[in-house]
C-alpha cells in the first residue's frame, strides 16, 4: 500500500515535470498550431496558459498530433 | 467571442467586481483574526492563518455553488454570476494558500518529499476519528487547480466543450471531498458541535437550492407541441420589456424577447457555454447572455461583428394579445422580421 502510494506520487511528479517542459514548447510554438487566434495574441497573455498546459498536456498533445 | 485573446476583457464592471472580492477577502481575514484571537488567545499565528484561508475558501465555494440556482430564482443575483470565473479563481487562490501553507507548516521539516508526507505520515486510513483528512483536501485542491487553470476561454475552445464541462462538473466531487476534509479534520481538533451544524446547514442550502430549481425547470420544460403549425406560447403581457419568456418547443428551449414594441424569438442556448439567453436582457439593442455577456441581435440571432456566434431564430405571430410560435426553427443566424405589437 505504502509502495503504491509512493509510486503514484512519483508518477504525479513526473507527469508535472513533462507538463512543465511541454508548456514551454506550447506557449512558444504549439498553441499557434491549434488556435489561429493565438497569432496576434500578446506574449503576456500566453504566459497564463502555462499552468493549464502543465496539467492538461496529454489532451493538448493528442489534439496537436491529430492535426 | 473568438478573434484574438487577451487575458481578461477588462471593463469597469469587472474591475468593480474584483475590487469587491478583494475587500471581501480582507474584511473576512481581519474579522477572523480578531475573533480567533479573542476566543483562543493562545493560538499561534500559523494556526489562525491556516484556518482563516481554509474557511475563506470554503465559504467562497458555497457562494459559487448557490449562485447559479439563486440567479434563476431572482435576477438580481445575476451580477455575481456574471463574473463567476473570477470568483472561482479567487477561491482557488485562497484554497491554495491554505493548502500550501499547511504543507509547509506540517510536512516540509523532515527530509521526505512533502507530498508523500501528506499521504504517508498518517496511515490510519481505516480509522474515522484519526483519518488522514489532509489527503482529501489535497485531492480537492488538485480538482480546483484543474478548473482554475483552464478557466479562460482559450481552454474552453481548445479542450472542447465536453472535456471542459466535465472538468468543471468535478466541482461537486471537490465539494464532497472538502466536506469530508473539514468534518474528519475537525473531529481531531474541534469539540464544539457548532462547526458541524454550520457545515450541515451549508450543505442543505446547496443541495436544497439545486433540487428546487431543478424541479422548477422540469415543470417549465413541458412541451407546447411538436407539429408544424403555430402553437400558443404566451400572452404579450407575460413578457417584460427588454426581457424574455422561455417556452419549450420541439424539444428545444426558446426565448421570446419583447423590445421597442417588437417581439423576436431565438434559441435559448448561448453558443459560448450554454448560458440561458432567456434569462438575459436586451442591452444596446442586443440580447445579452446573463453568464458572460455574449450578445446576439434579436432579429437574426447573430453576434454583432466582429463576432461570429449565431443561434437559431423562430417565426412568431400575434393573435389578439396572444403570441404564437412556429416550432420549426430557422437555421442559425436567419433573419426573421420581428412581430410588431400594437399598443
Ligand atoms: C493540500 C491541501 C490541503 C491541506 C494539506 C490541508 C490541511 C488542513 C489542515 C492541517 C487543517 C486543520 C487546521 C486546523 O484546524 O488547525 C485543515 C482544515 C480545513 N481545511 Fe484544509 N487542507 C487542504 C486543502 C483544503 C481545501 C482545498 C479546502 C477548501 C476549499 C480546505 C478547507 C479547509 C477547512 C474549511 C478547514 C476547517 C476549518 C479550519 O480549521 O480552518 N482545505 N486543512
Ligand atoms: S454562456 Fe458565456 S456568455 Fe453566454
Amino acid at each position: 500500500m505504502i509502495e503504491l502510494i509512493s509510486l503514484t506520487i512519483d508518477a504525479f511528479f513526473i507527469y508535472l515535470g513533462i507538463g512543465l517542459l511541454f508548456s514551454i514548447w506550447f506557449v512558444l510554438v504549439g498553441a499557434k498550431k491549434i488556435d489561429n487566434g493565438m497569432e496576434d495574441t500578446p506574449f503576456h497573455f500566453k504566459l497564463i496558459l502555462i499552468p493549464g498546459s502543465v496539467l492538461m498536456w496529454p489532451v493538448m498533445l493528442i489534439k496537436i498530433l491529430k492535426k | 467571442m473568438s478573434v484574438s485573446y487577451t487575458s481578461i476583457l477588462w471593463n469597469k464592471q469587472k474591475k468593480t467586481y474584483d475590487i469587491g472580492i478583494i475587500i471581501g477577502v480582507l474584511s473576512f481575514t481581519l474579522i477572523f483574526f480578531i475573533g480567533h484571537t479573542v476566543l483562543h488567545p493562545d493560538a499561534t499565528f500559523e494556526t489562525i492563518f491556516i484556518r482563516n484561508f481554509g474557511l475563506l475558501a470554503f465559504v467562497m465555494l458555497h457562494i459559487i455553488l448557490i449562485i447559479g440556482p439563486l440567479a434563476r430564482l431572482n435576477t438580481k443575483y445575476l451580477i455575481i454570476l456574471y463574473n463567476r470565473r473570477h470568483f472561482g479563481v479567487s477561491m482557488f487562490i485562497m484554497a491554495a494558500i491554505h493548502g500550501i501553507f499547511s504543507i509547509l507548516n506540517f510536512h516540509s521539516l523532515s527530509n521526505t518529499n512533502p507530498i508523500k508526507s501528506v499521504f504517508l505520515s498518517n496511515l490510519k486510513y481505516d480509522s474515522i476519528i484519526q483519518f488522514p483528512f489532509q489527503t482529501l483536501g489535497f485531492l480537492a485542491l488538485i480538482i480546483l487547480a484543474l478548473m482554475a487553470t483552464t478557466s479562460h476561454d482559450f481552454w474552453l475552445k481548445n479542450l472542447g466543450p465536453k472535456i471542459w464541462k466535465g472538468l468543471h462538473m468535478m466541482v461537486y466531487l471537490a465539494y464532497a471531498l472538502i466536506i469530508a476534509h473539514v468534518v474528519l479534520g475537525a473531529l481531531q481538533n474541534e469539540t464544539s458541535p457548532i462547526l458541524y451544524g454550520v457545515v450541515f446547514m451549508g450543505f442543505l442550502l446547496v443541495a436544497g437550492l439545486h433540487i428546487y430549481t431543478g424541479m422548477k425547470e422540469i415543470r417549465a420544460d413541458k412541451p407546447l407541441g411538436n407539429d408544424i403549425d403555430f402553437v400558443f406560447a404566451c400572452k404579450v403581457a407575460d413578457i417584460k420589456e427588454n426581457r424574455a419568456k422561455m417556452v419549450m418547443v420541439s424539444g428545444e428551449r426558446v426565448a421570446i424577447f419583447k423590445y421597442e414594441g417588437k417581439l423576436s424569438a431565438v434559441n435559448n442556448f448561448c453558443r459560448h457555454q450554454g448560458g440561458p439567453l432567456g434569462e438575459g436582457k436586451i442591452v444596446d439593442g442586443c440580447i445579452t447572455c446573463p453568464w458572460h455577456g455574449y450578445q446576439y441581435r434579436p432579429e437574426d440571432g447573430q453576434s454583432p461583428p466582429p463576432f461570429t456566434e449565431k443561434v437559431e431564430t423562430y417565426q412568431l405571430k400575434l393573435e389578439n394579445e396572444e403570441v404564437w410560435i412556429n416550432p420549426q426553427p430557422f437555421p442559425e443566424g436567419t433573419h426573421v422580421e420581428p412581430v410588431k405589437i400594437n399598443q
Side-chain angles (χ1 to χ4, degrees):
Chain A
M1 188 63 189
I2 295 177
E3 285 293 288
L4 191 69
I5 294 175
S6 181
L7 274 175
T8 311
I9 294 168
D10 286 333
F12 177 62
F13 274 100
I14 293 170
Y15 177 91
L16 292 184
I18 299 176
L20 195 62
L21 293 177
F22 175 84
S23 74
I24 296 169
W25 174 81
F26 187 70
V27 164
L28 294 175
V29 197
K32 282 202 279 280
K33 296 195 182 201
I34 49 164
D35 187 329
N36 42 27
M38 291 306 290
E39 291 284 358
D40 30 43
T41 296
F43 187 71
H44 71 267
F45 164 70
K46 294 189 186 167
L47 292 182
I48 71 163
L49 299 183
I50 290 182
S53 43
V54 170
L55 292 174
M56 295 303 290
W57 65 269
V59 184
M60 297 326 279
L61 190 62
I62 291 170
K63 299 230 160 168
I64 289 173
L65 291 179
K66 271 194 188 158
K67 272 241 153 157
Chain B
M1 297 185 166
S2 59
V3 200
S4 72
Y5 295 96
T6 50
S7 335
I8 301 163
L9 290 167
W10 287 107
N11 58 35
K12 194 150 169 276
Q13 195 197 28
K14 279 190 185 161
K15 278 217 175 113
T16 318
Y17 189 92
D18 288 357
I19 291 172
I21 294 178
I22 293 172
I23 292 176
V25 165
L26 290 179
S27 354
F28 183 101
T29 305
L30 188 69
I31 294 169
F32 188 84
F33 265 75
I34 295 174
H36 201 288
T37 316
V38 171
L39 291 176
H40 309 275
D42 47 344
T44 63
F45 174 79
E46 284 85 350
T47 305
I48 310 180
F49 188 90
I50 289 173
R51 290 185 176 171
N52 177 63
F53 284 98
L55 217 54
L56 188 51
F58 194 54
V59 171
M60 289 174 82
L61 180 61
H62 278 84
I63 296 176
I64 288 169
L65 289 172
I66 63 175
I67 206 64
L70 272 186
R72 308 210 135 178
L73 297 179
N74 188 331
T75 46
K76 80 168 185 256
Y77 295 105
L78 278 177
I79 188 76
I80 313 180
L81 185 71
Y82 188 69
N83 282 314
R84 180 156 60 164
R85 277 193 271 181
H86 287 209
F87 206 91
V89 173
S90 313
M91 184 269 291
F92 165 69
I93 294 172
M94 302 306 135
I97 294 177
H98 163 84
I100 292 171
F101 205 79
S102 298
I103 292 176
L104 287 179
N105 205 30
F106 299 114
H107 299 285
S108 64
L109 299 174
S110 70
N111 50 8
T112 45
N113 170 326
I115 308 293
K116 283 193 184 168
S117 168
V118 170
F119 282 87
L120 299 173
S121 61
N122 168 1
L123 287 168
K124 301 199 181 79
Y125 285 93
D126 51 358
S127 156
I128 286 182
I129 307 280
Q130 296 182 52
F131 190 88
F133 68 96
Q134 296 183 26
T135 56
L136 304 171
F138 183 85
L139 296 177
L141 192 60
I142 293 195
I143 296 178
L144 299 183
L146 279 170
M147 293 171 45
T149 58
T150 60
S151 65
H152 195 273
D153 274 357
F154 172 86
W155 293 106
L156 173 65
K157 181 168 167 219
N158 290 299
L159 291 171
K162 242 197 211 140
I163 294 182
W164 196 86
K165 189 106 210 219
L167 278 177
H168 286 252
M169 289 309 278
M170 288 201 327
V171 71
Y172 294 103
L173 176 60
Y175 181 57
L177 287 167
I178 290 165
I179 290 206
H181 170 74
V182 174
V183 170
L184 295 174
L187 276 175
Q188 287 160 43
N189 305 305
E190 203 77 27
T191 38
S192 127
I194 294 174
L195 183 73
Y196 303 107
V198 173
V199 170
F200 188 62
M201 302 268 281
F203 173 74
L204 280 187
L205 187 67
V206 169
L209 272 173
H210 275 81
I211 294 170
Y212 179 70
T213 48
M215 302 227 295
K216 264 186 88 160
E217 232 153 65
I218 292 173
R219 254 179 282 144
D221 278 354
K222 260 201 263 124
L224 291 174
N226 291 314
D227 43 9
I228 319 288
D229 293 335
F230 279 79
V231 293
F232 171 71
C234 61
K235 295 254 176 63
V236 173
D238 292 343
I239 316 177
K240 288 199 212 110
E241 179 67 16
N242 288 329
R243 293 224 176 243
K245 167 102 188 148
M246 270 189 282
V247 295
M248 190 79 177
V249 284
S250 317
E252 291 283 337
R253 283 190 204 155
V254 177
I256 306 176
F257 277 88
K258 177 154 103 183
Y259 58 103
E260 300 162 15
K262 293 180 283 186
L263 295 172
S264 287
V266 300
N267 191 286
N268 187 52
F269 191 83
C270 178
R271 291 308 125 100
H272 178 222
Q273 281 167 35
L277 293 178
E279 292 175 19
K281 267 206 283 199
I282 304 267
V283 178
D284 300 330
C286 284
I287 298 168
T288 304
C289 178
W291 284 10
H292 321 93
Y294 274 39
Q295 293 194 306
Y296 304 86
R297 289 192 295 249
E299 64 277 8
D300 60 7
Q302 292 205 18
S303 292
F307 304 111
T308 51
E309 280 73 18
K310 290 181 210 152
V311 292
E312 292 89 355
T313 49
Y314 291 80
Q315 183 74 58
L316 294 174
K317 73 174 181 188
L318 210 55
E319 276 180 16
N320 303 320
E321 281 301 291
E322 294 179 352
V323 184
W324 290 66
I325 181 169
N326 184 338
Q328 209 60 40
F330 291 112
E332 301 169 353
T334 309
H335 181 91
V336 179
E337 204 46 45
V339 172
K340 296 230 162 48
I341 320 168
N342 12 315
Q343 283 160 325

